[in-house]
Amino acid sequence: MYASCEQVFRPDLRGKPVIVASNNDGSIIARNKEAKLLGIKMGAPLHQCMDVIRQNRVAVFSSQYTLYGDMSNRVMTLLADMAPAHEVYSIDEAFLLYPNGLHQAESHGRAIVERIKRCTGLGIGVGFGPTKTLAKLANHIAKTSPSAKGVFDISVLNQLELDALLESLPISEVWGVGRRHAERLGLLGIQSVKQLRDADIDQIKTQFGSVLCRTVLELRGIVCFPLEENAPDKQQIMCSRSFAHEVSDLDVLGSAISHHVCRAMQKLRSQQSVTNGFTIMIRTNPFKPELIQHYGSMTGMLSRATDDTLVVQRLALQVLAKLYRKGYRYKKAGVMLLEVQPKSFHQHDLFEPIQLSNPRRDALMQSMDKIAHRFGREKIKLASELYKGWEMRRERLSPRYTTRWNELPKVTC
């Protein structure tokens, strides 16, 4: 999906190999079809692939999450208009529910593909099935079978056709069956999707648990994973980044921690939650064993749950000062918010009077969020964030074509 977003605004790259690198341009996290055919592996370190990249003129981009997130939101908004109910499963995947079924599912699927292509420039695959697991398998066929042309309805197959299809698919293609489960199932002689569907349900439940048991039932057409229209709130929120260069200065390290606290607290407020504490993590570069190493983490608990960035940031810097070791060269820092719970209902301390929130501080947090949302997160910062030297390496970053006026695509006539 990331590579597709880059190609939308670079028509000169259509039909050419494109890859997207992770934070600090470390490893490969997205490839288009042409890059896969060159043998470039997902997760491979970028520097190990430079010979193939140079020889085949592969376009390489640093990950531009602002662009990818906005393009995803546009796709999900369009999909929401084309079904009675929908669930956003990930940045590039959604489930649509049609309670009364569809008489012409394939034509409707092609209408979805055409609308997404026309409105966003992105190509998608659409799979129809009576359960989420079967719909995921149908989506796999839609994307990999040339005859499907991007749309496949598994529910129209008769029993013989369905059995033949499931027998041809390895169990690794089943949603929720990872490598370890696939290996263990293989020892039981279960290697195809059909064999998994027809497996003894009691044996599966005993040896693999109820989740895989529900997956088997879904393969039989029994709905076990209902649609979740409202994604559950996160119970932990984490923000972390590796640095382009090692950091030894406490103020610079504190600037990174302050930045991560601000970002995590924005996410916290966006789901109307509060936090009772946090964990600070810092580490040196494990890939440089010649340097002295330090990995440390420390937890700070709050006297009462809050969504106030300034309260958490102040304590976080105090915790960092205790965790920090002078002379060490740190490569990564992160913050995790703990015991996240709804703001409308949370446990108070039995031995302390109930402390009402400060209306002025609540208004300040709301104003900060509004400014960040309208003008970008970089437009409003705490003073402790201003120290430089901890930023990521993003040497191949593309413009934010859809969210910044000064980075809009330019057309020359």
Side-chain angles (χ1 to χ4, degrees):
M1 183 265 192
Y2 296 169
S4 297
C5 288
E6 298 290 356
Q7 287 179 287
V8 167
F9 299 96
R10 288 286 305 275
D12 59 306
L13 295 178
R14 293 174 189 172
K16 298 180 180 179
V18 176
I19 61 175
V20 177
S22 63
N23 294 330
N24 283 305
D25 296 341
S27 58
I28 296 167
I29 59 171
R31 312 156 295 162
N32 67 352
K33 178 178 65 177
E34 290 77 13
K36 293 177 184 178
L37 294 175
L38 295 175
I40 298 176
K41 303 296 184 183
M42 179 70 80
L46 184 63
H47 71 272
Q48 293 183 2
C49 303
M50 291 310 297
D51 288 342
V52 175
I53 289 171
R54 282 190 288 263
Q55 292 169 8
N56 297 276
R57 297 183 178 181
V58 179
V60 182
F61 292 93
S62 301
S63 46
Q64 178 58 278
Y65 297 117
T66 302
L67 173 64
Y68 311 148
D70 184 68
M71 292 293 284
S72 173
N73 289 337
R74 294 174 185 229
V75 170
M76 299 307 169
T77 301
L78 292 167
L79 292 177
D81 290 337
M82 304 192 75
H86 80 292
E87 173 191 338
V88 178
Y89 181 66
S90 67
I91 192 172
D92 64 347
E93 193 166 12
F95 291 104
L96 307 183
L97 177 65
Y98 300 92
N100 300 320
L102 284 170
H103 298 297
Q104 296 180 330
E106 185 175 343
S107 61
H108 185 70
R110 301 209 180 281
I112 294 175
V113 171
E114 191 278 331
R115 187 179 184 191
I116 299 300
K117 184 69 174 180
R118 174 166 48 85
C119 295
T120 69
L122 293 171
I124 65 169
V126 179
F128 291 95
T131 67
K132 282 185 175 179
T133 304
L134 287 172
K136 286 273 292 182
L137 282 175
N139 183 265
H140 170 71
I141 301 299
K143 292 187 294 185
T144 57
S145 173
S147 61
K149 298 180 180 179
V151 179
F152 186 74
D153 182 5
I154 204 170
S155 61
V156 300
L157 302 180
N158 60 42
Q159 193 60 49
L160 290 177
E161 292 171 333
L162 180 60
D163 288 349
L165 174 64
L166 298 185
E167 184 64 37
S168 68
L169 296 173
I171 54 175
S172 57
E173 296 298 340
V174 176
W175 181 40
V177 177
R179 178 178 57 83
R180 292 184 179 180
H181 273 1
E183 291 175 353
R184 291 177 58 194
L185 287 166
L187 295 176
L188 299 175
I190 300 174
Q191 297 181 334
S192 71
V193 177
K194 180 179 181 297
Q195 290 173 325
L196 179 61
R197 183 200 64 182
D198 299 336
D200 181 82
I201 198 70
D202 293 327
Q203 182 185 28
I204 294 295
K205 187 173 183 179
T206 300
Q207 298 193 25
F208 297 92
S210 59
V211 175
L212 189 60
C213 178
R214 290 198 290 269
T215 297
V216 171
L217 292 175
E218 288 242 327
L219 288 173
R220 297 176 183 179
I222 302 171
V223 176
C224 297
F225 301 121
L227 200 75
E228 297 180 5
E229 294 188 64
N230 298 314
D233 291 338
K234 296 180 180 179
Q235 296 181 328
Q236 291 183 335
I237 297 176
M238 182 172 181
C239 288
S240 65
R241 288 289 184 274
S242 297
F243 311 140
H245 308 285
E246 285 90 358
V247 171
S248 299
D249 187 84
L250 178 59
D251 288 331
V252 176
L253 203 58
S255 179
I257 291 295
S258 292
H259 175 82
H260 296 326
V261 167
C262 289
R263 183 71 186 107
M265 295 301 287
Q266 286 176 349
K267 294 180 179 180
L268 182 80
R269 289 191 293 272
S270 70
Q271 66 176 39
Q272 301 296 312
S273 298
V274 292
T275 181
N276 280 288
F278 59 87
T279 296
I280 300 294
M281 297 157 285
I282 55 175
R283 79 174 189 195
T284 53
N285 192 343
F287 300 105
K288 290 187 176 181
E290 70 275 11
L291 300 178
I292 51 176
Q293 299 290 321
H294 176 224
Y295 172 82
S297 65
M298 188 176 292
T299 298
M301 300 306 296
L302 303 164
S303 60
R304 67 182 182 91
T306 185
D307 62 356
D308 191 323
T309 296
L310 301 182
V311 172
V312 176
Q313 182 260 356
R314 186 182 301 112
L315 182 57
L317 292 183
Q318 295 174 7
V319 171
L320 175 65
K322 297 178 182 179
L323 192 60
Y324 167 79
R325 292 184 182 179
K326 188 175 181 179
Y328 285 74
R329 296 167 62 180
Y330 293 97
K331 183 64 175 176
K332 187 175 184 179
V335 175
M336 178 184 292
L337 302 183
L338 307 174
E339 296 185 19
V340 173
Q341 52 191 278
K343 186 175 183 179
S344 57
F345 177 79
H346 63 271
Q347 185 69 46
H348 293 281
D349 192 319
L350 178 64
F351 301 103
E352 290 187 7
I354 295 178
Q355 301 179 29
L356 300 177
S357 59
N358 185 333
R360 296 186 65 184
R361 290 293 280 270
D362 288 344
L364 174 61
M365 294 300 109
Q366 292 175 15
S367 298
M368 290 174 63
D369 291 342
K370 288 179 181 178
I371 292 171
H373 177 73
R374 182 173 180 181
F375 300 104
R377 291 191 297 270
E378 70 277 4
K379 295 299 183 183
I380 181 166
K381 297 181 179 181
L382 302 182
S384 57
E385 293 184 72
L386 300 180
Y387 289 93
K388 302 295 183 181
W390 61 270
E391 297 83 358
M392 293 186 296
R393 180 187 296 111
R394 304 172 81 182
E395 298 173 349
R396 302 174 175 88
L397 198 63
S398 58
R400 294 162 291 186
Y401 296 105
T402 62
T403 56
R404 293 295 182 273
W405 287 108
N406 61 339
E407 297 179 22
L408 287 175
K410 295 179 176 59
V411 178
T412 303
C413 298

